Amino acid sequence: DEFDISVHLTSLAFHPQAFTAQCAANLIGGMIGKEARERFQDTCFEQQENYMNAALGDARKSDVDAVFASIAENAGVFSNKLTKKIFLEKLHDWEAAVKPAYTEHKEALAYEVYGTPKHVIEEELLQETESAWNADAWARFLKKNGKL
C-alpha cells in the first residue's frame, strides 16, 4: 500500500517566532514549491537554536525576520524567483504568507491539533503517536488500529 503523506505546520502561541516561521514556509512553498518548503522546514529544525527565545529574547521583528532569511539562505531556497530581498519584503504579506499560514493554522485547530507532534489519517486525529517513528513502527500502529 502507498500513502500520500503531507506535513502541516501549526505555530504554538508560546513560541513567539513560530508564526513567522510558518509564514516563511508558506511564502517559500507558494513561490518556489513543496520541495523548497520542505528544505526550509528541515533547516529550521536543524537551526532552531538560532530563533528560540533564549537566542532572540526581546528582538525586534526585523531581527527575527533576518534570522529566518538566513535559515532560508542556508536551506538553498533563494534564486532569481525568490531573493533574500523579496523574501524579506513578502514575509508579512497577507496574501503571500500570512493568510496561507493562518489558514493552515485553522485547519490544524479543526483537527484538534493544539500541540506537536500530531498525526491525522483519514480525517481522524490519531492518539499516542510519535514523530520519531520509522516506517515499521508506523506499520505496526496502523495495523493495530485498523488503518492498514
Side-chain angles (χ1 to χ4, degrees):
D1 289 54
E2 291 185 18
F3 293 94
D4 182 22
I5 297 172
S6 60
V7 174
H8 302 275
L9 301 180
T10 184
S11 49
L12 302 174
F14 52 85
H15 290 302
Q17 289 70 252
F19 192 70
T20 301
Q22 192 170 357
C23 289
N26 276 278
L27 175 64
I28 291 165
M31 291 190 72
I32 305 296
K34 181 180 176 184
E35 184 179 305
R37 177 185 168 142
E38 289 172 353
R39 279 198 324 270
F40 173 76
Q41 290 169 181
D42 289 345
T43 307
C44 279
F45 284 108
E46 291 166 8
Q47 298 181 10
Q48 60 186 310
E49 72 281 350
N50 294 337
Y51 59 88
M52 298 302 278
N53 298 345
L56 291 174
D58 290 331
R60 294 175 305 197
K61 190 174 186 177
S62 60
D63 295 331
V64 173
D65 295 353
V67 168
F68 287 109
S70 175
I71 290 171
E73 191 168 41
N74 291 336
V77 301
F78 292 147
S79 65
N80 290 338
K81 188 172 184 180
L82 178 62
T83 63
K84 187 174 186 176
K85 181 177 188 277
I86 293 169
F87 175 88
L88 290 168
E89 289 170 356
K90 291 190 172 283
L91 182 55
H92 300 287
D93 180 88
W94 175 254
E95 292 297 330
V98 177
K99 184 179 177 183
Y102 180 51
T103 300
E104 189 172 57
H105 183 75
K106 289 188 298 184
E107 289 170 359
L109 295 178
Y111 285 117
E112 298 181 12
V113 174
Y114 304 115
T116 58
K118 301 292 182 196
H119 303 90
V120 176
I121 296 179
E122 295 177 346
E123 305 296 320
E124 178 186 344
L125 177 65
L126 304 177
Q127 301 300 320
E128 300 178 27
T129 59
E130 294 291 332
S131 62
W133 287 353
N134 63 19
D136 292 334
W138 272 105
R140 284 191 300 275
F141 176 85
L142 296 171
K143 284 179 185 174
K144 176 183 164 190
N145 289 282
K147 301 284 184 194
L148 191 67

